[in-house]
Amino acid sequence: MSETLTRNTAAVAPPSRSRAWTVTALLFAFLVLNFADKAVLGFAGLHIQRDLGITPQQFGLVQSAFFWLFAVGAIVLGALSSRIGVRWLLAVLMLIWIVTMVPLLGPVSFGVLLACRIVLGFAEGPAYALATHSVHSWFSPEKRALPGGIVTAGASVGPLLAAPVLTWVIVTWSWHAAFGVLIVLGGAWAVVWLIFGKNAPSHTAAADGTVELADASYRTLLTTGTVVGIALLTFFSYWSTTLKVAWLPVYLSDGLGYDTITAGRLIMLPYAFAAAGAIGAGFLSNRLTVRGVSRRVSRGFLAGGLIVAAGVSMIAFTLLSAGLPQMVFITLAFSLNTAAYAVAFTAIADIVHPSKRGPILGFLVAFYSMAGVLAPLVLGYFVGNASDKVTGYGHGFALTGILMTLGGAAATFLVRPEHDAAKLSARTKENAA
């Protein structure tokens, strides 16, 4: 019988613990900047609409345009991760981000703003997938969820830090100056990454203690239940994530009547809870796995449950008027689903061979990014065509909550890492016999 398991079966020394956590910290910072530059348009939404003289529908188009080539970038650059080291890929991505923000330092037309966001979306498409693939490669299977959660937390810490800082910059100077701050920070990160960032050493990875990961074909992997389930879970979750970045700051100001500074402070709440939730969910997933709980529960049910709970919370806040109870549900609605990403992507690492993990994660990002294309446009449509803006926002967010609740619950039952890892291994053996 031919060799049917992994190509890399030779025993190698485990990665350096200190190096692994250094890379984790740098990737955390990478995601901080990644989401800070996504969020800045939301923080400056009213200022941009006023300065450029554009409608809510046009502003929704700008936010949607960010995702037009997002999927293409995720697939193309994700595929390159199997040929080019992640160290160089991430450095190049940061350089492209900086280039796309330079034109926004001064007055721009609607067309230039649109073009910059399209190119930025292409370069940011693979960012989360590449960062997650890299950090997973530095840790053994039962320990991946926590560092993955820390990296994921960067996506929330970015806007969390950016909200007070960039909002102050926008109010004090202009929204153009906010992009200048991001350019400086991005350049500093690239230098530090090239000095201290490293590619993970090659090493064998197993789905559990007995089943090694089969090097299955992309077609087989993309039709496996766990991969399909995670794709759907992240799609419904990303619909909400996109609205948090693109529309939630505007909703707090334009829909609920908070001033720019207050809205900038309130927006910190869901990001703070999301950051803590991502790390907590990763820690919990690790603990459950080490204690022998099935990964269907520690990965699938945990991730799916968080997304469903976020959906229910979103429906709830649309039924309340402005005040503390509504803000509690807004915080839960836009934080619980974010906490699910690291756990969900760890399920992919449980069944996908390392040589194909980067491209598969890229395909997943490409798929769920379609929610990023649709969500801003749909909410912009509701707001622009409703009898009043509060009603429009309410209908748009309620629809999102329903999608997350029903879709998330259904997709959860497809995630079965142990079952699918064993099935892929057996199928690969049969094909090679």
Side-chain angles (χ1 to χ4, degrees):
M1 181 181 292
S2 302
E3 179 63 53
T4 60
L5 298 178
T6 66
R7 288 196 293 259
N8 301 319
T9 57
V12 295
S16 163
R17 181 179 176 85
S18 61
R19 175 65 68 182
W21 284 108
T22 297
V23 171
T24 301
L26 288 171
L27 293 173
F28 166 82
F30 178 73
L31 264 295
V32 167
L33 292 172
N34 177 271
F35 273 77
D37 63 34
K38 286 181 183 177
V40 68
L41 240 65
F43 298 144
L46 292 179
H47 297 267
I48 292 173
Q49 291 181 59
R50 182 187 64 240
D51 290 354
L52 273 62
I54 59 178
T55 65
Q57 291 93 327
Q58 288 176 304
F59 183 71
L61 182 66
V62 171
Q63 296 285 27
S64 174
F66 177 86
F67 296 97
W68 291 354
L69 295 181
F70 197 89
V72 177
I75 293 174
V76 172
L77 298 177
L80 287 177
S81 67
S82 62
R83 301 182 181 183
I84 302 174
V86 174
R87 176 171 178 258
W88 287 106
L89 276 179
L90 294 184
V92 170
L93 288 185
M94 183 59 73
L95 177 61
I96 298 175
W97 298 358
I98 291 172
V99 170
T100 63
M101 288 187 283
V102 169
L104 305 182
L105 292 175
V108 294
S109 66
F110 175 73
V112 170
L113 176 62
L114 194 68
C116 287
R117 298 305 284 183
I118 292 172
V119 177
L120 180 63
F122 173 83
E124 290 200 356
Y128 182 64
L130 291 177
T132 301
H133 169 47
S134 179
V135 78
H136 282 170
S137 300
W138 282 93
F139 294 88
S140 58
E142 71 278 3
K143 296 180 179 179
R144 286 179 182 141
L146 177 56
I150 291 173
V151 172
T152 300
S156 298
V157 174
L160 176 63
L161 296 177
V165 175
L166 295 184
T167 299
W168 178 80
V169 170
I170 291 167
V171 172
T172 304
W173 286 290
S174 69
W175 58 272
H176 305 287
F179 284 104
V181 172
L182 293 174
I183 288 172
V184 172
L185 293 176
W189 181 90
V191 172
V192 174
W193 172 252
L194 288 175
I195 294 173
F196 296 104
K198 300 290 182 182
N199 292 319
S202 299
H203 62 283
T204 305
D208 56 35
T210 59
V211 181
E212 290 192 55
L213 298 181
D215 191 7
S217 68
Y218 287 112
R219 179 178 180 181
T220 299
L221 290 170
L222 290 172
T223 55
T224 298
T226 295
V227 176
V228 174
I230 295 301
L232 292 173
L233 282 175
T234 51
F235 177 88
F236 296 125
S237 179
Y238 204 68
W239 190 290
S240 170
T241 299
T242 303
L243 294 183
K244 177 170 67 174
V245 174
W247 277 105
L248 183 56
V250 183
Y251 169 60
L252 292 175
S253 298
D254 195 32
L256 299 182
Y258 296 107
D259 61 73
T260 302
I261 296 295
T262 302
R265 291 170 179 167
L266 290 176
I267 199 69
M268 295 170 66
L269 293 174
Y271 284 110
F273 273 78
I279 296 172
F283 176 80
L284 177 59
S285 182
N286 273 4
R287 294 285 291 178
L288 292 173
T289 302
V290 169
R291 292 185 177 186
V293 175
S294 75
R295 296 184 189 187
R296 187 178 191 187
V297 173
S298 67
R299 311 299 200 215
F301 285 6
L302 178 55
L306 288 168
I307 292 169
V308 170
V312 172
S313 297
M314 188 166 294
I315 295 171
F317 86 66
T318 65
L319 303 176
L320 301 172
S321 55
L324 179 60
Q326 186 196 48
M327 200 63 217
V328 170
F329 281 112
I330 288 175
T331 298
L332 294 175
F334 290 104
S335 61
L336 294 178
N337 67 301
T338 301
Y341 284 106
V343 176
F345 270 35
T346 303
I348 299 299
D350 287 337
I351 70 169
V352 178
H353 186 276
S355 67
K356 289 190 170 70
R357 192 179 301 145
I360 289 295
L361 291 176
F363 276 110
L364 286 177
V365 171
F367 175 77
Y368 75 57
S369 71
M370 294 300 98
V373 176
L374 297 172
L377 292 176
V378 171
L379 190 61
Y381 172 83
F382 276 112
V383 174
N385 291 278
S387 57
D388 62 89
K389 290 184 177 180
V390 174
T391 299
Y393 282 116
H395 290 166
F397 285 126
L399 173 63
T400 302
I402 293 170
L403 287 173
M404 293 173 70
T405 302
L406 299 181
T412 297
F413 293 96
L414 295 173
V415 182
R416 300 185 295 171
E418 289 99 343
H419 172 273
D420 288 337
K423 184 179 178 179
L424 289 170
S425 180
R427 181 181 298 179
T428 305
K429 289 179 179 179
E430 291 175 3
N431 293 338

